[in-house]
Amino acid sequence: MDRRSVLKSAIALAAWYGLPSAPLFAAARATSDIADGEASSFSFEWLQGFARELAAKAYQSTVEQLPPTLANLTPQKYNAIGYDPAHSLWNSMNGPLDIQFFHVGMGFNQPVRMYSIDPQTQQAKEIHFRPDLFDYSRADVDVSQLEGQGDLGFAGFRVFKEPSLTERDIVSFLGASYFRAVDDTYQYGLSARGVTVNTYSDGKTEEFPAFTRFWFETPKPGATTFTAYALLDAPSLAGAYRFVIHCEDERVVMDIDKHLYPRKSIAQLGITPMTSMFSCGTQQRDMCLTFHPQIHDSDRLSMWLGNGEWVCRPLNNPPRVQFNTFGDDNPRGFGLLQTDHDFSHYEDIVANYHKRPSLWVEPKGQWGKGEIQMLEIPTTGETMDNVVAFWKPEKAIEPGQELNYGYKLYWSAQPPVKPDLARVRKTFTGIGGFPEGWAPGEHYPKVWAKRIAVDFTGGELKHFYDNGIDIKTQLDVPEGDVKQLDILWIEEIQGFRIQFDWYPTSDSTDPINMRLNLSADGNTVSETWLFQYFPTPPDEREYPAHPAAV
């Protein structure tokens, strides 16, 4: 099964994309304790042992065959299944946090078992599925088909903050090991995953590990932090996870510890994976097929490398599948960022791309050597996530090992850290080969070129400009010729625009990795711009006819 088949159901959901939530019951019934299973002891150490023992056994899928009324639901009908808030997990506490559960249906046929933990006794009780937890009136579900099916389990869960004031959830776990969170805009964007297996590996089929069980610690009264534990299972490995989730005013922060137990050798293990969408942007305006000037959940991969270097890698919607690796030793952080939050730059009143959060990974401890890897897949629209990024450890993954990783995920408009250096504002591309402010015409040689412009802002750039300190470029373009390199101060952005024309010297359309940073007084004063440019095919390297020549 390929990535797009797995993602198709999840990304089609209005609730998953942060549109209006499914309808709730108009009148709440009397509160009841939905954790009705028998009590058993629970601890994170027990969960680690359980996952370790599970990995020592042959994998057994728990995917179930759903009754037709659920299996054949459309995304719209699935999203119309309501949940009774009177039966939400912490409803009786009347506190700032509450949890509701997603129904199984459509492609969500992996039952997820849910448990509630009493923090005083550390006893866990299972929460069993039953139809009276849900409202099917708007979903056209034939409830009679659910009778005699036993415990169908749940598909996932979502977290509400101040549920008495809003029906918008702030955290959502749904499908395989995918999960999302929001910042203070309450707008979902990119997603994270528990782990990836063989996302892009020669001769290997990608696996989609799934969270199959969750345990929830009952929070203290008035708390905006809660802890959830998860069991992950897949043909190649099992895992035990602890999520300490801080639901702050302007962001959600997840403090995660996970222990992975391989069943098999794994060619490509992805730690802290994140999945996003980039359809078009300022550097690929020709890919915007609708009237929207930009369409993306994220605009760049940002990396704070172990040696202290900051790297900005603008995202692409490539003409063909592209896989890139960035070697590092003990990374300090990385993430897929949405840095542009100006509505006028998107003009989208449905998807609200200007509100979408960034996701930043902050490793805990020393991760050693490995690579930040990124896969970019061509897409013609905005309904398919086509960018995946993750950390791959250098050491081989073999059965019998135990891999422990700790990290924090920051879901916020901007990452929690930034360099003191100047940062890349935007990247632009367009037709070149003529002076700025003019257009190609009969008085200029008709030699095709691509103009590329990079804006840098912040850091000490204003100081350098005001004091006449020269800014120098360190530009590396390994293929083609670079001409007309200009360094321009732009008052409106309080920064420098570096623009140049790139002339092809062959018919090759292989991608070219361009690298640029700024220096002053012999010191590097900006983060590194690392751009993958796809040369225009030779038969398209023509200027449009000039009106004077017609």
Side-chain angles (χ1 to χ4, degrees), residues 13-86:
L13 296 178
W16 195 228
Y17 254 84
L19 299 180
S21 302
L24 305 178
F25 277 7
R29 295 194 295 269
T31 301
S32 62
D33 185 358
I34 60 172
D36 55 356
E38 294 187 4
S40 60
S41 298
F42 177 85
S43 69
F44 191 35
E45 291 73 22
W46 171 86
L47 178 58
Q48 293 169 45
F50 185 84
R52 186 184 301 109
E53 293 176 4
L54 187 65
K57 304 174 183 176
Y59 172 73
Q60 293 185 343
S61 173
T62 58
V63 171
E64 60 189 358
Q65 183 174 353
L66 299 176
T69 190
L70 296 178
N72 298 329
L73 285 171
T74 65
Q76 293 76 16
K77 292 300 183 181
Y78 177 86
N79 191 49
I81 299 175
Y83 191 93
D84 183 358

Side-chain angles (χ1 to χ4, degrees), residues 64 66 70 101-105 108 110-114 126-130 133-134 136 149-156 212:
E64 60 189 358
L66 299 176
L70 296 178
F101 302 103
F102 285 109
H103 206 290
V104 292
F108 301 121
Q110 168 78 59
V112 182
R113 305 300 173 187
M114 306 292 183
E126 186 171 359
I127 303 162
H128 293 100
F129 166 85
R130 59 181 195 263
L133 298 178
F134 296 91
Y136 304 101
Q149 292 291 324
D151 187 353
L152 293 173
F154 303 96
T212 60

Side-chain angles (χ1 to χ4, degrees), residues 271-272 330-331 334 361 363-369 391 405-407:
I271 306 298
T272 71
N330 291 318
F334 63 94
V361 177
K364 296 192 298 184
Q366 301 292 301
W367 283 13
K369 293 183 178 181
W391 171 260
Y405 284 91
Y407 54 96

Side-chain angles (χ1 to χ4, degrees), residues 494-509:
Q494 293 288 285
F496 284 98
R497 174 167 296 170
I498 313 303
Q499 66 181 40
F500 58 91
D501 286 353
W502 178 84
Y503 289 82
T505 53
S506 75
D507 289 343
S508 173
T509 58

Side-chain angles (χ1 to χ4, degrees), residues 396-447:
I397 308 301
E398 301 294 343
Q401 294 178 336
E402 178 175 344
L403 308 172
N404 304 325
Y405 284 91
Y407 54 96
K408 292 183 178 181
L409 296 181
Y410 293 85
W411 306 81
S412 53
Q414 300 293 345
V417 291
K418 63 180 181 180
D420 295 330
L421 305 169
R423 301 186 68 188
V424 174
R425 172 180 171 263
K426 281 184 180 296
T427 302
F428 302 91
T429 62
I431 196 168
F434 52 91
E436 183 71 14
W438 293 78
E442 58 184 359
H443 301 297
Y444 296 97
K446 293 187 177 181
V447 180

